[in-house]
Amino acid sequence: MPSRNFTSDNVAPACAPILAAVNEANSGLLPSYGGDALTARLQTAASEVFERQVAIFPVATGTAANALALAQLAPPYGAIYCHETAHVATDECAAPEFFSGGAKLIGLPAADGKIRAADLREAIAFADEMGVHHVKPAALTLTQATEWGTVYRPEEIAALAGLAKEHGLGVHMDGARFANALVHLGCTPAETSWKSGVDVLSLGATKNGALCAEAVVFFDRALARDFERRRKRSGHLWSKLRFLSAQLLAYFHDDLWLANARHANAMASALARGLGAVAGARLLQSVEANEVFVALPPGVVAALEGAGFGFYRWPFEGLGEAVAIRLVASYATQAADVAALLGAAAQAA
Amino acid sequence: MPSRNFTSDNVAPACAPILAAVNEANSGLLPSYGGDALTARLQTAASEVFERQVAIFPVATGTAANALALAQLAPPYGAIYCHETAHVATDECAAPEFFSGGAKLIGLPAADGKIRAADLREAIAFADEMGVHHVKPAALTLTQATEWGTVYRPEEIAALAGLAKEHGLGVHMDGARFANALVHLGCTPAETSWKSGVDVLSLGATKNGALCAEAVVFFDRALARDFERRRKRSGHLWSKLRFLSAQLLAYFHDDLWLANARHANAMASALARGLGAVAGARLLQSVEANEVFVALPPGVVAALEGAGFGFYRWPFEGLGEAVAIRLVASYATQAADVAALLGAAAQAA
Amino acid sequence: MPSRNFTSDNVAPACAPILAAVNEANSGLLPSYGGDALTARLQTAASEVFERQVAIFPVATGTAANALALAQLAPPYGAIYCHETAHVATDECAAPEFFSGGAKLIGLPAADGKIRAADLREAIAFADEMGVHHVKPAALTLTQATEWGTVYRPEEIAALAGLAKEHGLGVHMDGARFANALVHLGCTPAETSWKSGVDVLSLGATKNGALCAEAVVFFDRALARDFERRRKRSGHLWSKLRFLSAQLLAYFHDDLWLANARHANAMASALARGLGAVAGARLLQSVEANEVFVALPPGVVAALEGAGFGFYRWPFEGLGEAVAIRLVASYATQAADVAALLGAAAQAA
Amino acid sequence: MPSRNFTSDNVAPACAPILAAVNEANSGLLPSYGGDALTARLQTAASEVFERQVAIFPVATGTAANALALAQLAPPYGAIYCHETAHVATDECAAPEFFSGGAKLIGLPAADGKIRAADLREAIAFADEMGVHHVKPAALTLTQATEWGTVYRPEEIAALAGLAKEHGLGVHMDGARFANALVHLGCTPAETSWKSGVDVLSLGATKNGALCAEAVVFFDRALARDFERRRKRSGHLWSKLRFLSAQLLAYFHDDLWLANARHANAMASALARGLGAVAGARLLQSVEANEVFVALPPGVVAALEGAGFGFYRWPFEGLGEAVAIRLVASYATQAADVAALLGAAAQAA
């Protein structure tokens, strides 16, 4: 599968500066388990990025970041409210249930992937009425950018987070594509996180140019109490932690993360514009980050597949004959490949 | 902390061939989650190394490898028998309890770190007598090389594994330092694993030259049923798994793992010989792998610390005034540093 | 709250024969933890009732019975399919998640409380497509009678169970109101359980006349492997187990359970007939067991509440001004109280 | 097995006043899940007994009480220090590990069953030194009376609890035989619990005359936060909770619990006196509660067994030919049976 691969942003290799940072980190006998200088520097770097003293914990996968963060917020008898298509609900083999000791994820619907305040309010009210028989409302998790490629605006986050906090819930953000959301919004990392009420962020880097690096970022360090033990007992404390910290330092350095995301988003926009112009096509969601959901005539989809372009057919109801597909761009997506795909689609239509 | 660091074998960086393999793996848009060619090749390579069709699952940490493997063997109501100083019992923040859903580790004593058959037999008999009130004997885990730097001989493993199997227990080996044991024994990987009755091996690479690579190796592939989901839900399935697989392929290639371990063991032997000759010194264990436990006069220990040599003081009873320390050598330990330490010790004595 | 209490069937005391059995069981120094003769007799009695050698395990609550049974069927990485309003999903504070170690309950909708085969098929297909990223289809749980007071017919159970088994799922029945379903159907306990494909039954007695007795019934005794340890470690193995076994023996004796359920169902039918005739009333579900869901004019509901009748207002959409309520009858419901309620409703209308 | 049964105090039936209370509670349609008047009265009664506002939660088994209480004190990554023979460690099939989500029980030795402060101090120091790699010291659990039939004096409890609290640990008491300890000490319930530093008590009643009643008692009600949900999700919240509350009310009423325990202790003392006088006998522990551990000549033990007396042979090292046995007396033990046993022993000796 060569460069015509739009199946996911995790098919890309690491970008050059991050790989270079790993190579540079590979020298000397250094304290293990996070006692090294790079890990210390990461605390400072992340605090600058977020304009606040944060506690940042690198891990290797997004599932780990999400499940660890949610376990910190929700007791085993807690309810975690998420969008019904959230990665934590459908794509992590019940990792949050595992890490939390059995908390329950309660999925809320919404066509554009963004939880509606009314649905959250209703779910909490139901729990309150049920009392001890039901799980206790404990956490809200928002995916930014969403699973449908849309982006919460800061005021939308603030409204949901405010509602959550009225009821004592912690607020988590699954930022597997946080950088993609950031560059779309054109606002600061602080504005779309703690300034909008987010308590804990799963900050993604792997989909945006790292080998294997994500981080759990606590904006109130008191919330991170004992978190190190959670990370350790789940096998996510590396002995040579410097290799994770180095990736994240490079990620932040010179705004590499934003540049990477900007490119990915631009490629997705180009895909959307081009495919939207194909006869019989319909964009199924606003393209605000690096994912494109589009319905195309069956013949076009088949032609693209036949030409070796990689992407997923996606379940979507009410399209008649048309076939929905998902295309994902990354920092590594090349304009020539986008052009090739658009050309093939136009020709097939 | 420069090269005079003998605190652990995990303070070393990655060795050159493994880092090179990571760099080489960094090209192209490739299938994620283990669908790549390197991961496929790893299955073959490991099967050759172990002279049998194995199922091998790369993960990033030894804690993950151990806890996942034990969870596969022991139900939540199971007993896992280990040495009382085993890493799984004291150094993993209850990871096996977490991954297994609450199984109980039962520590057996033994001065040299090697479980005695009589103790295992007695523990199982106690459980059998207690019946439903006690946890069910489910697994035996052996650490190879042991926490005390000693090594089980194949016939010792076979005797313990045979006893375990008589009673229906699965047999796990924590091989964080498997290569060190191998080169000490001079036997094949198969002989000290499945040919001696081991069902599942946590194969370490990180302490022996990798950045971050361990593997769970099942010798009976039926035992690996659903293991992928355990790995996934614990956050240990990397999206860019090729970066783990690449490390392990390089690890096996040209017997790199054995060369690395041989060097580490040689450095430890040199340390043991030299320190054993210091006046007032006593070796506390046979030095069969890459760890040295030695009691030294307090003044010698203080002098070494003062000279900037890194190592741990180690709890050990009945030494009178003498102080026990642990020194660990790795593939990266340099003969010059060993000589410097021995020189400093001799001078202080 | 005197006898005008229709809030639930668990507000009733124990019925006389069951209380008498508890008193009779209270003599002598007897083997504990189920080694007593009554517990042995219960195995026989249950096997006769179900026309098959069963393994029956008494516990004190329905939540315990359900969660233990489901944990036996589903691994921690498993999916348990249930109706979206199932007691296990909404009323047990995530007990199944707790007992299973984090399995995921996936709720399927259906207006009448009975899972539809098409929905189950689709959910399994989704899981299959998602592979390792999603929980593994492991169990189906059916509530009989349902949360909406309706009853699955044997052929409906058989269809769902057949589908489940095609895909390797175990089939559980939450029979908190199993007796009520039985007498409605007029078929044998075997016909609505194992003959229709049910593997494990949570058999309720508490709502139908016991002090505190439920049972987990395995129809294939091999499925009950190690179940005793699950019961023990969850604190549900009584030392004086004879007091639970005695209740269940009395429950089966002379078909007490059926008589009790018949009375409860009859009272519910009388309520349904009477309330259905009130002006502006609408029955919201078929009344097939001992629960009545009915929409009434707000004034009627208020009048009943004012007159001291106990029942719940129930969430139900699309009723306009009308108010939905739930009334539950039990073995202890008296015809006079039903008449009084109906009289008050008629007068208010 | 008639009245010659000294195997355990849980072989006895319920005592008359408690059974009567259950019968009396069996009237009327009453609020379920603890909304009844008896449960409310129990709060008051327990608060009077303990001279303090307590929060008391009835459950049916001691395993449930212990595991729920410990889960409230210890996080999943916590260490729970107990005596190495504690019921929670050896007789509950890892219930504390299950309820806590994987916390680790660390057993401390002591010949008389009473944890020594020095051992606790050392264990905590070890954990502190290990840091994140080890479980976090979280709770201390004391068994009162101990598994060896001895009793902690209030000042001993205070010393251990004080040490525990210096290090931030919560203090639990497994009071399965709390009443037996109380009457031995001749002090108040408050003195041996919260006044000595106990935070949470598992208060036993089943072994001392109830059908099935234990309670978790929190002396600081803030510590009981969300405990109701823990009880619910483990299946230990009865719908007809009044039947548990009634037992405990009767247990406290007119000091029934103390009278029962006094009788049991007296019977045990009589056994100890009598057996101690047998030629070749040796009492293995002080008999301070209702359990007797005694070494007897093999012929005597065999003779008692042959005569139909029920008791356990008990593992005990260093006795040479003599055989250790355990005898347990209860409220229901009759003086005539004690005399018969002593007679048989004397004759055999």
Side-chain angles (χ1 to χ4, degrees), chain B residues 31-40 231 237-242 245:
Chain B
S32 42
Y33 299 115
D36 63 283
L38 292 175
T39 301
R231 181 173 58 169
L237 175 58
W238 285 23
S239 55
K240 303 182 182 178
L241 189 57
R242 58 188 180 276
S245 302

Side-chain angles (χ1 to χ4, degrees), chain C residues 1-6 8-16 19-20 22-23 25-33 60-61 63-64 67 87 91-101 205-212 229-230 232-240 242-243 330-333 337, chain D residues 1-6 8-16 19-20 22-23 25-33 60-61 63-64 67 87 91-101 205-212 229-230 232-240 242-243 330-333 337:
Chain C
M1 214 180 333
S3 60
R4 296 179 153 199
N5 189 336
F6 297 91
S8 178
D9 32 11
N10 62 26
V11 300
C15 66
L19 188 61
V22 168
N23 281 280
N26 198 56
S27 72
L29 303 184
L30 296 173
S32 42
Y33 297 115
T61 71
T63 296
H87 203 262
D91 285 61
E92 300 185 353
C93 201
E97 287 88 341
F98 173 40
F99 281 67
S100 66
T206 310
K207 290 182 197 300
N208 193 31
L211 284 88
C212 57
R229 277 197 168 84
R230 286 194 191 277
K232 171 68 190 183
R233 76 192 277 264
S234 60
H236 287 290
L237 174 59
W238 285 23
S239 56
K240 304 183 181 178
R242 57 189 180 277
F243 292 117
S330 79
Y331 87 91
T333 300
D337 292 313
Chain D
M1 217 184 324
S3 61
R4 297 178 153 200
N5 188 336
F6 297 91
S8 178
D9 32 11
N10 62 27
V11 300
C15 66
L19 188 61
V22 168
N23 282 280
N26 198 56
S27 72
L29 304 183
L30 296 172
S32 43
Y33 298 115
T61 72
T63 295
H87 202 263
D91 285 62
E92 300 186 352
C93 200
E97 286 89 342
F98 173 40
F99 281 67
S100 67
T206 310
K207 289 182 197 301
N208 193 30
L211 285 89
C212 58
R229 275 196 170 86
R230 285 195 193 277
K232 172 68 191 184
R233 78 194 275 267
S234 60
H236 287 289
L237 174 60
W238 285 24
S239 56
K240 303 183 182 178
R242 57 188 180 275
F243 291 118
S330 79
Y331 86 93
T333 300
D337 292 313

Side-chain angles (χ1 to χ4, degrees), chain C residues 295-312:
Chain C
L296 293 171
V300 175
V301 172
L304 291 174
E305 288 169 341
F309 292 99
F311 52 80
Y312 285 113

